[in-house]
Amino acid sequence: MPEESTAPSIAESTGRGALDLAIRCGEVIFASGASAEDATATMLAVTRAYGLKGCEADVTHTVITLTWDDPASSDTIVRSRNVKYRTIDYTRLTNTSTLIGELLHEPLPLAEARIRVNTIITAKPIYPWPVRRVGWSLVGAGAAFLLGGGPLVVAAAFVATFFVDLLTRMLAKTRMSVFYQNLAGGAVGPLVAAVVHFLDPAASSSLVVVATIIMLLAGVTSFGAVQDVLSGFYVTGTARVLEALLITGGLVAGVAGTTMLLARFGLVLDIAPYMAPSFSDLPLLLVATVVIILGFALAVEVPPRAIWAVSVLGILGYLVYTAGVATNIGVSWAAGSAAFVVGVLSAVASLIVRTPPLPLVVSALIPLVPGLILFRGLLELSVGSIDGLLSMLEAASVAVALAAGALLGQYLVQNALGPARRIQRRFVGPLMGVQVRLGRKRDEKI
């Protein structure tokens, strides 16, 4: 009798190839800053596009798993990948999202699709590294300007954030923990502030520290953490929350330690009482807002066609925030209201600029990062005031309000206008890392 062939069938080979392609797409989406729900929906959509039914996807903080029961052989095929890198790269995210849309419309041959994914992963950054470094410096300079700093303070913030980024990048290459990276980065701000105080004692030198805090907090994935928790991915969300707390803890340790060291030498950093934004200074505040958004967009490689959109969204968000503060509804509610408006409008802007909502929302809300509140809490704790804990809680509530407000806006739009997604019922949040088709057509999968 002829021996039975142990080689995989054509259908099984195609299934394995589709699983490999889907899990690579999910990995790129997740590692570029998207949520676990985005990664899971991506993998299930790609497998459906290639005719694989009954797939199960699971995402934790570091591991992505995809399972398929082959109906022909009754074998269970499992694919798993470790997320070895995690960097905010919105061009890579956008290009992967575009490829997924093409696959859903008309699946490419598996070999060609895998080449496209590899090309996206290995592509050179669209902005040269000096432009990206200057982008982070613009975030710091714009933050100092937004908070009322003079020319010397703004220039010092530009220099400080440049060296913070340079230092953290160098430490990252040595595979040092992000805690120590941010501890070292947090120590730079107070040192530069001391130089500013020496040059001009009347300058608000502490704003240099606040600018570096905002710059470092801008890279914290608190948005994805809140989205994972609200979407029901509690394990992944908790891990991301702990990661955000670890990064913030390193930042707090660096700033607080250096500030106390400077106090030993007689230089006590102080911060002026919080001045709420007013409509009289609004033109200058909006200019500072655009500078921050532009710098962040360059740093995280937002596609050039979307920069005007994030600038407009950021201006509208800051106007809503200013109006909320002026009506005394509280900083957290004002930030949440601004984020809600940005979340709603980003659904429309996403269609216009052909970019997923996530880069638009995160970039537009960077000017509202609570760096000033966090630094005020550090100063209060350094003198033994219990008010410092309240300030820390207020900073956390603002960060959560920004994420929750934007997600609520997207949730309402996607449920009112679409998409008609066929994914697991346990997913309750909106898709942010991939482009969705708004409408009630039942044949659309994402």
Side-chain angles (χ1 to χ4, degrees), residues 37 223 227 230-232 339-348 357 361 403-421 423-432 436 438 440:
E37 180 175 6
F223 192 95
Q227 184 177 1
L230 294 180
S231 300
F340 175 79
V341 172
V342 170
V344 171
L345 297 179
S346 64
V348 179
V361 171
L407 290 171
L408 178 60
Q410 278 285 322
Y411 177 83
L412 294 179
V413 171
Q414 291 190 20
N415 277 271
L417 302 178
R421 308 193 304 271
I423 58 178
Q424 297 181 28
R425 291 292 183 182
R426 71 186 176 105
F427 301 146
V428 296
L431 295 180
M432 300 288 292
V436 296
L438 300 180
R440 287 298 183 183

Side-chain angles (χ1 to χ4, degrees), residues 58-306:
D58 189 30
V59 178
T60 64
H61 188 53
T62 57
V63 179
I64 297 177
T65 305
L66 190 58
T67 305
W68 175 54
D69 293 328
D70 184 5
S73 62
S74 299
D75 291 335
T76 298
I77 303 175
V78 180
R79 288 290 184 268
S80 179
R81 292 188 67 90
N82 291 326
V83 182
K84 299 179 181 179
Y85 64 94
R86 187 174 285 106
T87 57
I88 302 179
D89 188 335
Y90 288 146
T91 291
R92 181 182 296 161
L93 176 71
T94 300
N95 291 340
T96 306
S97 175
T98 301
L99 173 61
I100 293 169
E102 295 177 6
L103 295 179
L104 296 181
H105 180 68
E106 185 176 351
L108 300 172
L110 285 172
E112 181 180 347
R114 295 189 66 174
I115 291 175
R116 288 277 300 276
V117 174
N118 291 332
T119 301
I120 292 172
I121 295 174
T122 59
K124 294 182 179 180
I126 58 174
Y127 304 120
W129 71 264
V131 174
R132 286 177 279 134
R133 300 289 81 81
V134 170
W136 284 120
S137 298
L138 288 177
V139 172
F145 187 37
L146 184 67
L147 298 173
L152 177 60
V153 173
V154 172
F158 183 93
V159 174
T161 47
F162 182 87
F163 280 105
V164 167
D165 179 60
L166 181 63
L167 178 60
T168 53
R169 294 286 176 178
M170 291 175 59
L171 294 177
K173 291 181 179 179
T174 65
R175 299 187 181 276
M176 182 174 288
S177 169
V178 291
F179 176 85
Y180 298 109
Q181 294 177 31
N182 283 270
L183 188 150
V188 173
L191 295 176
V192 177
V195 175
V196 172
H197 181 78
F198 175 78
L199 296 175
D200 184 5
S204 301
S205 56
S206 60
L207 293 181
V208 177
V209 185
V210 179
T212 58
I213 290 176
I214 292 176
M215 174 259 183
L216 288 170
L217 288 180
V220 178
T221 56
S222 57
F223 192 95
V226 175
Q227 184 177 1
D228 285 338
V229 172
L230 294 180
S231 300
F233 290 84
Y234 299 115
V235 174
T236 307
T238 301
R240 278 187 160 183
V241 169
L242 290 176
E243 182 184 48
L245 291 176
L246 180 68
I247 294 174
T248 306
L251 169 61
V252 168
V255 172
T258 310
T259 300
M260 288 188 290
L261 179 63
L262 293 174
R264 293 279 184 176
F265 291 93
L267 176 59
V268 178
L269 293 178
D270 197 6
I271 193 166
Y274 173 69
M275 299 295 293
S278 63
F279 287 99
S280 60
D281 300 327
L282 199 55
L284 291 178
L285 296 178
L286 294 180
V287 170
T289 297
V290 172
V291 171
I292 296 174
I293 294 172
L294 177 61
F296 183 78
L298 296 176
V300 299
E301 298 195 61
V302 173
R305 64 178 181 272

Side-chain angles (χ1 to χ4, degrees), residues 11 13 18 34 51 71 94 262 310 318-319 328 332 360 365-366 401-402 442:
S13 177
T94 300
L262 293 174
V310 296
Y318 197 82
L319 287 174
N328 297 319
S332 297
L360 306 180
L365 296 179
I366 288 300
L402 289 174
R442 292 295 175 181

